[in-house]
Amino acid sequence: MPPRRGLLAYCCCLLFLVSTATAAAESLASIPNPRVQNGTWVTDTSGTLDPKSITQLNERAAAFERDTSGEIAVVVIRSLDGLTIEEAAVKLFEMWGIGKKHRDNGLLFLWSTGDRRVRVEVGYGLEGTLPDGKVGAILDQYVMRRFKAGQFDQGVLDGVDALIAAARKQPLALASPSTESYDDASPGWVTWLQRLSLVPLGFAVLFVFRKWRRLRPRWCPQCHARMKRLDEEHDDAQLSKGEIAEENLGSVDYDVWQCPSCGHHITLRYAKWLSPYASCPQCHNRTMQSMTETIDAATTSHEGSARVTETCGFCTYSHEFLKTLPRVSESSSSSSSSGGSSSSSSFGGGSSGGGGASRGY
C-alpha cells in the first residue's frame, strides 16, 4: 500500500507540473493584437515594461507609420508556446500581417522574458535596408548591452529607435569592428545616369542575396547540429493542407529544414511578391482570389459600379459584392494623401520570409 500511495503522489505532482508549464506557455493566438485591441503598437502580456516606456514606444511607432507607412509591433511575453523564437516570430508576423500589403514594410520586436530571447522579424520590403547582419549588430549594440546590465526598458527603447532609424535609411553608428558602415549617404559625384546604370546590377545583387539568405546553412536550435533542407517531395509531410494549397497555387513557397540528429524541424514561409492571391478571411491562407467585373464604367461626371467576386482555392469561402467606382479625376492631386497616417484598427497585411536576427542573454 505505501508504494502505491507514493506512486499516486508522484503522478499527482507530475500532473501538476505539466499543467503549470502548459499554463505558463502563451499560445500565439492568445496574444492580443494591439492594433485590434486599442489601436496601439505594443503588447506586453508579461507586465515587464514600465507604462511610460510603453507610451514612448507607441509614440515612436505611430510617428514611424505616419511618416513612412511602415509598421512596427513590439511584443513582450513570458514564454513561447513550445516554439523557437524564430518560429513564433514568423507565425505571429503572418497572423497579424504587420506592414502594409504589397509593400511588406513591417517589423516585429519579439521578446520572451522567460526564455531570455529576443527576435526582430523583418518584412520583405525592408530586407534590403535591414539585412540579417545589420539587425544582429543592432541587437548586439543597442539591446543586448542594456539587457545584460538589467536595463530592459532602455534596451527595448534603444533597439526600436535604432531599427526605425535604419528603416528610414538614416546613418546609424554600429561599433562592431566586423560590420561595415551602414551610412546610406550617396557620394556627390554619382550622377543620375550612373545610378540608372546600376539598377540592373542592384536587382541582380538583391536576387543573389535573397537566394543566399534562403539557402544558407542553418543550425538546429536544440542540439546545434547542421540542419538539412528537405526537397519538395519530402517537405510536404511537414506542411498543413493549407500550406500545401498555397504552394500549389504559387502564392507562397515553404522551406522545411530538419535536423538529422534530433529530428527538430523549422518551417520558413516565403510569400511571392507578385501574386493574385490574398489572405482568405475564413481559413487565413493566402489562397483567395478576387475577380472584378465592371458593370457601369466611371466617368468624370458620375461614379461607376463593379461586381467583385472573392473565392478561396482551399476552403469553401465565396463572397460577392458590388463596389462603387469613384469618378475619374481630371487631375492627380488626390495622390498626395498616400503614405500618411492610417486610422485602421489592424495591421496592414504585410508578409515576412524569415529575415531578421535573434539573440539570447
Side-chain angles (χ1 to χ4, degrees):
M1 185 66 67
R4 290 185 179 179
R5 289 181 180 176
L7 180 61
L8 180 61
Y10 173 79
C11 292
C12 291
C13 290
L14 183 61
L15 181 62
F16 173 76
L17 291 174
V18 171
S19 62
T20 302
T22 304
E26 296 175 79
S27 168
L28 295 182
S30 69
I31 300 174
N33 182 330
R35 301 298 295 151
V36 175
Q37 187 179 45
N38 51 23
T40 60
W41 307 90
V42 181
T43 289
D44 179 15
T45 60
S46 69
T48 303
L49 295 176
D50 186 271
K52 292 182 179 179
S53 299
I54 294 177
T55 299
Q56 294 176 16
L57 290 168
N58 280 319
E59 290 174 350
R60 294 168 191 183
F64 176 56
E65 193 269 346
R66 182 178 62 249
D67 298 340
T68 69
S69 83
E71 297 179 346
I72 181 168
V74 180
V75 180
V76 185
I77 57 179
R78 287 184 296 274
S79 62
L80 302 166
D81 187 22
L83 302 172
T84 66
I85 197 164
E86 292 81 11
E87 293 170 329
V90 170
K91 290 180 181 295
L92 192 62
F93 198 108
E94 295 302 325
M95 189 187 305
W96 290 356
I98 304 170
K100 293 297 185 286
K101 191 174 183 180
H102 303 310
R103 299 187 67 177
D104 298 324
N105 51 353
L107 291 168
L108 169 62
F109 185 103
L110 176 62
W111 172 25
S112 176
T113 59
D115 299 281
R116 301 176 66 86
R117 298 281 293 173
V118 178
R119 170 75 181 178
V120 172
E121 190 72 20
V122 180
Y124 276 117
L126 292 177
E127 287 181 353
T129 307
L130 280 165
D132 296 358
K134 186 172 183 178
V135 175
I138 288 173
L139 286 176
D140 288 335
Q141 180 167 333
Y142 292 93
V143 181
M144 290 301 102
R145 290 183 181 180
R146 294 288 193 181
F147 274 30
K148 290 176 181 178
Q151 302 169 350
F152 298 109
D153 282 67
Q154 196 60 49
V156 176
L157 288 167
D158 290 352
V160 168
D161 281 343
L163 289 168
I164 290 177
R168 292 173 181 266
K169 298 184 178 181
Q170 296 174 350
L172 185 64
L174 293 175
S176 175
S178 61
T179 56
E180 62 216 82
S181 171
Y182 289 104
D183 191 337
D184 292 312
S186 301
W189 52 267
V190 177
T191 64
W192 282 107
L193 182 61
Q194 289 171 319
R195 291 182 183 182
L196 290 175
S197 68
L198 293 176
V199 169
L201 178 61
F203 278 112
V205 170
L206 179 60
F207 174 80
V208 172
F209 169 75
R210 285 177 55 83
K211 200 72 174 177
W212 169 84
R213 187 182 63 80
R214 181 170 176 176
L215 302 179
R216 72 186 189 278
R218 286 175 167 81
W219 306 92
C220 179
Q222 293 189 356
C223 68
H224 307 294
R226 182 165 178 168
M227 305 185 78
K228 178 183 178 182
R229 179 173 173 266
L230 301 183
D231 57 33
E232 290 295 330
E233 181 180 354
H234 293 89
D235 69 2
D236 285 353
Q238 306 293 344
L239 301 178
S240 67
K241 292 182 179 180
E243 292 169 338
I244 294 175
E246 289 177 326
E247 281 202 326
N248 291 337
L249 292 173
S251 62
V252 181
D253 195 15
Y254 288 92
D255 283 351
V256 178
W257 292 78
Q258 189 167 34
C259 177
S261 298
C262 67
H264 179 75
H265 71 273
I266 297 175
T267 301
L268 299 179
R269 185 178 191 272
Y270 299 92
K272 297 297 179 67
W273 280 357
L274 301 176
S275 173
Y277 295 93
S279 177
C280 172
Q282 180 170 292
C283 67
H284 305 294
N285 295 298
R286 198 182 184 191
T287 50
M288 186 191 72
Q289 189 172 23
S290 298
M291 303 294 292
T292 302
E293 177 187 0
T294 301
I295 299 174
D296 183 18
T299 67
T300 56
S301 59
H302 68 81
E303 297 176 333
S305 62
R307 179 183 294 107
V308 180
T309 304
E310 297 177 339
T311 55
C312 180
F314 174 67
C315 70
T316 58
Y317 177 77
S318 179
H319 180 53
E320 184 177 294
F321 59 93
L322 294 178
K323 180 175 71 172
T324 300
L325 302 178
R327 287 191 296 177
V328 178
S329 175
E330 297 180 355
S331 67
S332 58
S333 59
S334 60
S335 63
S336 61
S337 63
S338 62
S341 176
S342 172
S343 60
S344 172
S345 60
S346 183
F347 290 98
S351 298
S352 168
S358 309
R359 291 293 186 269
Y361 60 97

